[in-house]
Amino acid sequence: MKKVKYVFRFLMVLSIVCAAAVFSGEKADARTVFDTEADDSFDTATAINLGDSINGGITETDDLDNYRFQLTSAGKVSLDITSYMRYYCIKVFDSAGEEVWYTDNNYWNDSVKYRSDSYEMYLEKGIYYMEINGYRKSDYDKSTGTYECSTAFESSRTTNKENDNSFTSANDIVFGNSFTGQISINDNYDTYKFILPETGNIAVDMTSYMPYYCIKVFDSAGEEVWYTDNNYWNDSVKYRSDSYEMYLEKGTYYVEINGYRKSDYDKSTGKYDCSLSFASSDTSFEGDDNSFDTAKNLSWNRSYTGQISINDNYDNYKFSVPANKSIAIDITSYMRYYCIIIRDSDGKDVWYTDNNEWNSNVNYRKDVHNITLSAGTYYMEINGYRKSDYDKSTGKYIFSISELNQSNCVHDYKETTVDPTYLKKGYTIFQCEKCGDTYKGNYVAKLKLGQSSIDTYYSYTEKRVIRLRWSTVSDASGYQVRWCRKKAMKKNVKSGKLKGQDTYSGVISHLSRKKNYYVQVRAYKKIGKKVVYGDWSEKVKFRTK
């Protein structure tokens, strides 16, 4: 009966295969496919479309079942299997017969006598064979029983063309265009190529659906110039997005994307989306400038743009000083930090500045450096190091050299203080000892005479007379006294002066009897033909006798 059953199933499958002239990994109408007794080799493998469900069994006389499917594009193959065998094994082979994937030692649950599993595998475009058996992959302890397996396929819609595993077969990158690739269990990495027509900045935007990924960049000589690795995805969303920038010299470059943690053998698979964009740094010079012989000649009072790249450690420039003079180097750096070294014609360091970190709020730094040089030829090196260590930064910079003047001088001011007088404010004169720039500041108020006050204890009135006594004020030339019948002192105010700083009393006479008078006193100082006054004292009321 069992033999008749399998013959019937074989005839059903054979009729389906004959009716379907084309089979592929693209989604077709789902159907159920049964194994056959004649499917023990690749040549007799049962043809399936991914999306079909497979019903099969391993018997005492049937050791394995082979199925054949074709992927018209790279993508993800999904298998959902329920096995009623004590254990089962699945192997996947490519068209050359190379095993590309397997799962084994899958023991059932003794309580329910079956086991269910789901698998995903990323595969390249091509023809594949899937073998299902009841062995523990390689040993001879065979189990028998039936199984059910549903299949599915999702294209990754890759835009790269395989084979792209070498520089010579690398895919060309168009800046600004996104490209999609896939790292498969039978494809370890993808290679791309781009050409920089000039020195500048490459921006990389990467979204990876692999558990981790690595990107390497090589120059045309095959030297690795940049990499990023150990980029684990977010387990919650099953992807990771990153942006990178790299400053590169003009030339041809190759990009390798893989699923390794850079150098180990723990490989992950999946699709990725990536795009590259390019911004020229508009550098003033191209080509080698890493020695005195290739140093670029500079002119005075002209702006230049340079770049420190991941594959270029420093730039050399050459300039001449016709006579002993002070110069100014004006630099705006878009590197995290920069260093400038000036050497004489013998290669000896004569000046340097380092540890110049940018302002992280604006991602640049602007400086003016003043240097005094003797007549001669000099070489200027600009780099992204903190002078001598190996913590290198990259980016563009803009600079110029010019003779020292008041606008480009980092001033070193000498201070001269001018004291205040009773007629003029005091101030400080600031004069730069390098360029002569001069200005005034730190103003101090004019000197002011102190305020005198009437001593009411010693002041008194007599018949038509007021006898006054007041406090003296240092530096006074004398004192002025004024009086009036009205407290407001707006009209009919009379006054008189008494010379001498030490004068402290006076008499107001010829007043009316038994009348109220308001009196004030203030100090004055005569300076040449000018007179300055202190504040009036408080008003004091007197009544004559």
Side-chain angles (χ1 to χ4, degrees), residues 254-273:
Y254 298 91
V255 180
E256 176 190 309
I257 299 177
N258 65 58
Y260 292 105
R261 290 191 291 255
K262 187 171 188 289
S263 58
D264 67 9
Y265 295 98
D266 190 3
K267 172 184 169 183
S268 63
T269 60
K271 67 175 285 187
Y272 59 85
D273 296 313

Side-chain angles (χ1 to χ4, degrees), residues 7 71 92 133 139 144 147 219 226 257 277 321 343 347 419 524:
V7 170
L71 302 185
V92 176
N133 64 58
D139 67 10
T144 60
Y147 60 85
D219 61 20
W226 181 87
I257 299 177
S277 59
V321 179
R343 300 181 174 95
D419 294 328
Y524 72 88

Side-chain angles (χ1 to χ4, degrees), residues 420-484:
T421 68
Y422 288 101
L423 299 176
K424 293 182 179 181
K425 294 179 179 180
Y427 53 88
T428 301
I429 300 174
F430 298 88
Q431 185 171 22
C432 179
E433 296 185 316
K434 292 192 290 185
C435 69
D437 180 55
T438 302
Y439 72 94
K440 296 178 182 179
N442 297 345
Y443 285 93
V444 179
K446 292 184 289 186
L447 296 179
K448 188 176 181 179
L449 285 171
Q451 185 180 31
S452 182
S453 61
I454 296 174
D455 189 338
T456 55
Y457 184 79
Y458 290 104
S459 298
Y460 57 92
T461 60
E462 295 178 346
K463 184 178 179 181
R464 301 178 66 182
V465 171
I466 299 175
R467 295 189 178 273
L468 292 175
R469 191 163 180 173
W470 58 81
S471 63
T472 60
V473 174
S474 64
D475 213 24
S477 299
Y479 301 88
Q480 183 182 27
V481 179
R482 71 175 180 177
W483 61 93
C484 183

Side-chain angles (χ1 to χ4, degrees), residues 329-341:
I329 300 175
D330 191 318
I331 184 168
T332 300
S333 169
Y334 298 91
M335 299 182 281
R336 188 174 298 278
Y337 28 76
Y338 73 87
C339 169
I340 303 176
I341 306 172

Side-chain angles (χ1 to χ4, degrees), residues 38 97 174 194 221 291 376 459:
V174 177
F194 64 86
S291 68
S459 298

Side-chain angles (χ1 to χ4, degrees), residues 9-53:
R9 286 166 59 182
F10 170 75
L11 292 173
M12 287 181 61
V13 172
L14 185 60
S15 65
I16 294 171
V17 172
C18 292
V22 179
F23 51 91
S24 71
E26 300 302 330
K27 186 174 180 181
D29 292 337
R31 48 183 193 142
T32 301
V33 178
F34 298 94
D35 68 333
T36 70
E37 288 189 344
D39 60 4
D40 292 345
S41 68
F42 290 175
D43 291 338
T44 59
T46 301
I48 63 170
N49 292 319
L50 293 183
D52 292 345
S53 295

